[in-house]
Amino acid sequence: MNRIQGFAVAVGVALLAAGCDDDFLTTLPPDQVSGAVFWTQQKDAELAVVALYNQNQAEERTVRLDAQTDNAWAQQSFDSRYIIAQGAADALNGTFLSVWNQAYTGIRRANEVLANIDKIEVISPASLRDRLKGEAKFWRAYHYFYLVNLYGDVPLYTTPIEIPEGQAATRTPRAQVIDQVLKDLDEAAAVLPTTYAAAERGRVTKGAALAYRAAAALHEGRWAIAEDAAKAVIDLNVYKLHPNYADLTRYAGDNSAELILTDVREKGVRGQGLFGSIAQGSLLGTSTLVPIRELIDFYQMKDGLPTSQSTLDRPDAPYADRDPRMYATVVFPGASYCGITYNSLPGSKTADEIRKDFNTTSTGFNFIKYVDCADRNDRGNSGVDYILMRYADVLLMYAEAKIEQNEIADGAARNAINEVRTRAGMPAIATGLSQAALRDAVRYERRAEFVLEGRRLFDIRRWKIAEQVMPGQKFGIDYVEGGQTKKYVADNRAFNPARDYLWAIPQRELDLAPGLKQNPGY
């Protein structure tokens, strides 16, 4: 067990008393360990920084975000994400509150580190103090990056706050929050190491800080900053694409050179239960998140053309000859996984039969990303790491930033796209493409690459296409009834562009701090 895992499990909430979420912005509770006792020696600072890693909400901010996109459906009606995707959520929604709480708990912890670490007179080696500060700045920026992209303007704090200050909070303009995020990440990158020893796997690095700086700038349309930060990651010459895309979300990819930042898990110590939650019925999973037909239809044929244009598309084999990333991501009728042939067709009388019971798919598809067959008999205790950032994202951010600035003549954007695309087994895109065609190409790659990795929601928001892809009737598999081919009906969604580009500020926060004000439409 490495230090990040061990300390996070051993001290976690207890260390910094994160469990008091009844106060606004998870303000410091009165029973927290006294600063006069705690901030006295080096190990206090080290433990406090390790505790920051517990707040990344890896599953919620990656896998579960896809439930609010055109990739996936949280099919159980009591799931708070189900209501969000329908455009019917209000300020009492549980997801809105839990993400807000966890983010501000992380920010509070980071601010406590930065406010108190210099009280410790001796930290050795001397560079360790700066590194620990860099880690704290990274995690503060990480949380604010998510907050502004989910809620818009949010209260910005860079020092610990007390209850009266929190209750007087107002919302800081988004651009100002992003300025702080970029500043924090720049300062973190300056002091964080490029790599760590194997025992420290999972700690944030210079590459992680630069990659998130690229992401923060990209989402604001600050293209030059995004390009420079992404190029700086590339120039580190530390990361490279993993040869097998399917490995990345299974045990075989846990130590890949493609991974820039992960939430490290270990079976029996800090396991995660995604296998049991999303796997198909025949693997005793509960199908809480399932693919919708739009994702399946999105994948190109292996010749690089959409199904509507490719001669490879065959009505008698609707899932054949597709982008290999589809086969690493979903199962469909006739697919085989973990030695089981998946048959979700109605009347199949298999454990995967569509809508057989509460725990089977309602679309006829299931996800297999993060489902490693080695966990089949221990579904709630997987040691597969959650991916927070990987090198493919850096390459595609670099390409997009170049394209949006119309810097396409040097071919660097095309080369970056092709590096990702050909690794997956798809043909390279052609030379001489226009800016618009390259934009379409990079957007295809982002969706194909990052299913269940938390990118799609932010992408459809910043590209302003959510009102095109989210509303309307969603579907599942085709089936034959009475000699006619029909589609299973899935979710029927609505999307109000005047409201649904942002989440609601949780009602509890508004009650505690009336100066916050709610987002429009809630």
Side-chain angles (χ1 to χ4, degrees):
M1 175 172 45
N2 64 46
R3 292 181 62 202
I4 288 293
Q5 292 171 313
F7 287 168
V9 173
V11 299
V13 172
L15 178 63
L16 292 180
C20 187
D21 279 346
D22 292 333
D23 293 329
F24 171 72
L25 298 185
T26 56
T27 321
L28 290 175
D31 60 345
Q32 181 175 333
V33 177
S34 167
V37 174
F38 186 75
W39 294 101
T40 58
Q41 52 190 325
Q42 178 171 321
K43 71 176 183 180
D44 297 341
E46 292 176 323
L47 289 171
V49 168
V50 169
L52 300 177
Y53 288 77
N54 263 358
Q55 295 303 126
N56 64 44
Q57 276 191 304
E59 184 175 323
E60 188 65 64
R61 299 192 196 183
T62 57
V63 176
R64 299 295 174 182
L65 278 187
D66 263 22
Q68 293 132 63
T69 74
D70 51 344
N71 284 345
W73 182 25
Q75 65 178 23
Q76 296 167 341
S77 59
F78 57 79
D79 190 325
S80 59
R81 305 168 196 88
Y82 174 97
I83 304 299
I84 299 172
Q86 289 190 319
D90 60 23
L92 299 175
N93 185 275
T95 293
F96 294 167
L97 179 60
S98 67
V99 171
W100 178 282
N101 281 349
Q102 291 295 313
Y104 274 107
T105 297
I107 289 165
R108 174 179 55 75
R109 288 184 175 188
N111 285 340
E112 281 292 307
V113 170
L114 293 167
N116 290 290
I117 191 170
D118 285 336
K119 295 177 182 177
I120 302 170
E121 293 183 3
V122 178
I123 294 181
S124 180
S127 60
L128 178 59
R129 187 188 304 270
D130 286 339
R131 195 201 83 191
L132 294 174
K133 288 181 180 180
E135 290 179 81
K137 288 179 180 180
F138 172 88
W139 286 114
R140 181 169 67 187
Y142 172 89
H143 293 299
Y144 274 123
F145 168 75
Y146 277 92
L147 284 168
V148 296
N149 280 293
L150 293 171
Y151 303 93
D153 301 344
V154 294
L156 174 64
Y157 289 100
T158 57
T159 59
I161 63 171
E162 302 296 337
I163 291 174
E165 185 181 2
Q167 291 175 333
T170 58
R171 298 174 68 174
T172 305
R174 176 185 181 124
Q176 185 177 336
V177 179
I178 289 297
D179 287 343
Q180 182 65 48
V181 168
L182 294 173
K183 179 177 183 291
D184 278 348
L185 292 171
D186 188 43
E187 292 175 357
V191 296
L192 290 172
T194 303
T195 60
Y196 289 90
E200 301 282 352
R201 184 171 72 89
R203 297 197 88 119
V204 293
T205 60
K206 181 186 295 290
L210 290 169
Y212 274 93
R213 182 173 164 84
L218 193 83
H219 285 61
E220 299 304 301
R222 302 185 190 186
W223 307 116
I225 295 174
E227 178 187 347
D228 289 347
K231 186 62 163 60
V233 179
I234 294 168
D235 289 345
L236 290 174
N237 292 317
V238 170
Y239 307 104
K240 61 182 179 180
L241 296 179
H242 192 77
N244 186 341
Y245 174 83
D247 285 349
L248 286 167
T249 49
R250 299 180 183 111
Y251 286 108
D254 268 0
N255 292 295
S256 171
E258 182 167 345
L259 303 180
I260 296 175
L261 184 64
T262 60
D263 179 34
V264 175
R265 298 300 176 127
E266 184 171 325
K267 186 183 288 290
V269 178
R270 191 170 180 257
Q272 48 93 348
L274 198 57
F275 187 116
S277 179
I278 69 171
Q280 62 259 37
S282 56
L283 294 176
L284 302 183
T286 55
S287 304
T288 61
L289 187 68
V290 294
I292 57 177
R293 182 60 178 262
E294 284 179 86
L295 175 62
I296 309 304
D297 291 345
F298 153 80
Y299 285 105
Q300 294 175 350
M301 304 300 290
K302 68 179 183 181
D303 59 7
L305 295 174
T307 55
S308 60
Q309 299 176 21
S310 175
T311 58
L312 298 175
D313 186 41
R314 296 163 41 204
D316 63 325
Y319 310 112
D321 296 324
R322 296 289 195 93
D323 184 329
R325 287 170 288 198
M326 186 179 90
Y327 305 120
T329 303
V330 301
V331 285
F332 45 83
S336 179
Y337 194 64
C338 295
I340 297 173
T341 298
Y342 181 82
N343 186 355
S344 59
L345 293 171
S348 67
K349 300 188 184 304
T350 68
D352 295 318
E353 182 179 357
I354 189 169
R355 298 179 183 171
K356 175 178 178 288
D357 58 38
F358 189 71
N359 292 323
T360 56
T361 177
S362 292
T363 64
F365 305 109
N366 273 95
F367 285 113
I368 55 173
K369 239 180 162 178
Y370 286 110
V371 176
D372 193 299
C373 299
D375 291 326
R376 187 171 176 176
N377 296 318
D378 200 8
R379 296 175 299 281
N381 186 28
S382 175
V384 175
D385 298 345
Y386 285 116
I387 296 174
L388 301 179
M389 178 65 71
R390 57 186 174 92
Y391 187 55
D393 202 350
V394 171
L395 289 171
L396 294 178
M397 288 192 290
Y398 174 69
E400 184 175 352
K402 296 274 286 182
I403 291 164
E404 293 303 328
Q405 296 173 92
N406 204 23
E407 296 177 357
I408 60 176
D410 62 2
R414 174 183 174 272
N415 291 342
I417 294 170
N418 280 337
E419 192 173 345
V420 175
R421 187 169 170 82
T422 57
R423 181 274 297 275
M426 291 293 285
I429 60 172
T431 59
L433 294 181
S434 66
Q435 182 187 32
L438 284 169
R439 182 181 292 124
D440 288 343
V442 78
R443 291 185 180 189
Y444 174 86
E445 291 305 310
R446 288 193 64 82
R447 188 177 183 188
E449 274 286 311
F450 302 126
V451 176
L452 301 190
E453 294 184 45
R455 298 301 186 253
R456 183 63 178 170
L457 179 63
F458 290 174
D459 284 349
I460 64 176
R461 285 181 170 195
R462 66 193 179 87
W463 295 334
K464 298 299 181 185
I465 63 170
E467 64 264 43
Q468 302 168 31
V469 303
M470 284 300 294
Q473 182 64 62
K474 308 304 177 186
F475 296 95
I477 59 171
D478 290 344
Y479 66 103
V480 177
E481 181 179 87
Q484 293 186 324
T485 299
K486 300 181 178 180
K487 291 182 185 295
Y488 255 95
V489 174
D491 201 15
N492 191 0
R493 295 174 169 177
F495 187 91
N496 178 0
R499 186 189 89 141
D500 294 330
Y501 271 103
L502 295 174
W503 284 0
I505 304 298
Q507 186 61 47
R508 194 201 69 173
E509 303 303 305
L510 298 176
D511 294 341
L512 290 167
L516 279 179
K517 305 306 179 187
Q518 184 55 277
N519 280 323
Y522 287 100

